[in-house]
Amino acid sequence: MKSAICFAAVVASASAFAPEANSARVSTAVNAEARREVFGKIAAVGAAFLPIAANAAVGESPRFSVFGLIGDGTSYSEGAAYGSDQARDVYSPYSVYSAEGADSLYKEGNAEFAARKVATLAETKLRLAKIPAYVDRKEWFNVKDELTRYMYETRGAVRGLSKTVDQKEMADVFFRALEDTNGAATLHKGEACKAANAKAVAALEVFTKSL
């Protein structure tokens, strides 16, 4: 009797675990199927937003263009209109800007642009005047900063204002003095740095008076 009761208990225990295992497997399969369905829908939505290749169509020959003159200039592989979409002739087939003319915004010798360059030289003098104090305090980074962060504009202004051979030679003297100042600051040579800076200031003054 006891053996029968024990056997029945074992069978009942085994049967109790069996449905849970099957249920877990079924649940996992259902979840996996649901995930695949969700991912499939996401991929379908994403594909709807992808750009459609305008140059690809069933039964259509490939489009091509040779400098916009031969073939189809609107093809994606071309990527340029070569002035065909401009009201006026462009500077070059590869430019979106019109050729230089009477109504161009920039005109060589414009007094306004020249005045801006002269103002740049005036600001340069103020910046160079700060360098001796920087050298005395051994602030070499400030010396180099003054010679780089604004002097790019200075070089453009000097080059733009140099019209004669003499002015271009004066500009070269000024530029060499700036380079000597920067080199001395890099080597932490205080006296040489101040001497080169003084030469730069003098050269800039000579150049300004020649304008």
Side-chain angles (χ1 to χ4, degrees):
M1 184 66 179
K2 291 182 179 181
S3 299
I5 294 175
C6 290
F7 178 75
V10 171
V11 172
S13 299
S15 62
F17 284 104
E20 291 185 6
N22 293 335
S23 177
R25 286 194 294 270
V26 172
S27 177
T28 301
V30 171
N31 289 338
E33 184 67 26
R35 286 196 297 270
R36 283 194 293 270
E37 183 178 358
V38 170
F39 290 145
K41 290 180 179 180
I42 293 175
V45 172
F49 289 96
L50 292 176
I52 300 175
N55 286 353
V58 177
E60 186 180 69
S61 299
R63 300 180 182 182
F64 70 93
S65 172
V66 180
F67 299 109
L69 302 177
I70 302 174
D72 185 0
T74 64
S75 62
Y76 277 7
S77 61
E78 185 62 33
Y82 295 101
S84 62
D85 59 344
Q86 302 291 329
R88 298 177 52 190
D89 291 338
V90 292
Y91 174 76
S92 77
Y94 304 97
S95 174
V96 297
Y97 301 104
S98 301
E100 184 179 356
D103 57 347
S104 298
L105 295 178
Y106 176 79
K107 294 180 177 61
E108 188 175 358
N110 189 309
E112 180 182 354
F113 291 106
R116 292 182 182 178
K117 291 181 174 64
V118 172
T120 299
L121 300 186
E123 175 64 21
T124 299
K125 294 178 182 179
L126 297 177
R127 292 173 181 265
L128 292 177
K130 299 177 181 180
I131 289 181
Y134 291 148
V135 174
D136 291 337
R137 295 195 296 267
K138 299 186 183 303
E139 297 176 356
W140 308 112
F141 62 94
N142 278 330
V143 175
K144 295 175 72 68
D145 283 348
E146 290 294 353
L147 294 173
T148 54
R149 61 187 172 192
Y150 193 78
M151 297 304 161
Y152 183 85
E153 296 294 331
T154 301
R155 290 178 181 272
V158 172
R159 292 297 188 196
L161 293 170
S162 300
K163 303 301 181 183
T164 66
V165 174
D166 289 340
Q167 287 176 332
K168 292 179 180 180
E169 292 177 351
M170 295 175 190
D172 289 339
V173 173
F174 172 62
F175 293 148
R176 283 196 296 269
L178 288 181
E179 293 169 1
D180 291 341
T181 305
N182 187 76
T186 302
L187 298 175
H188 297 179
K189 294 182 178 181
E191 294 303 321
C193 185
K194 289 197 288 186
N197 182 72
K199 185 177 180 180
V201 172
L204 182 59
E205 185 66 25
V206 172
F207 176 81
T208 304
K209 289 181 179 180
S210 70
L211 300 177

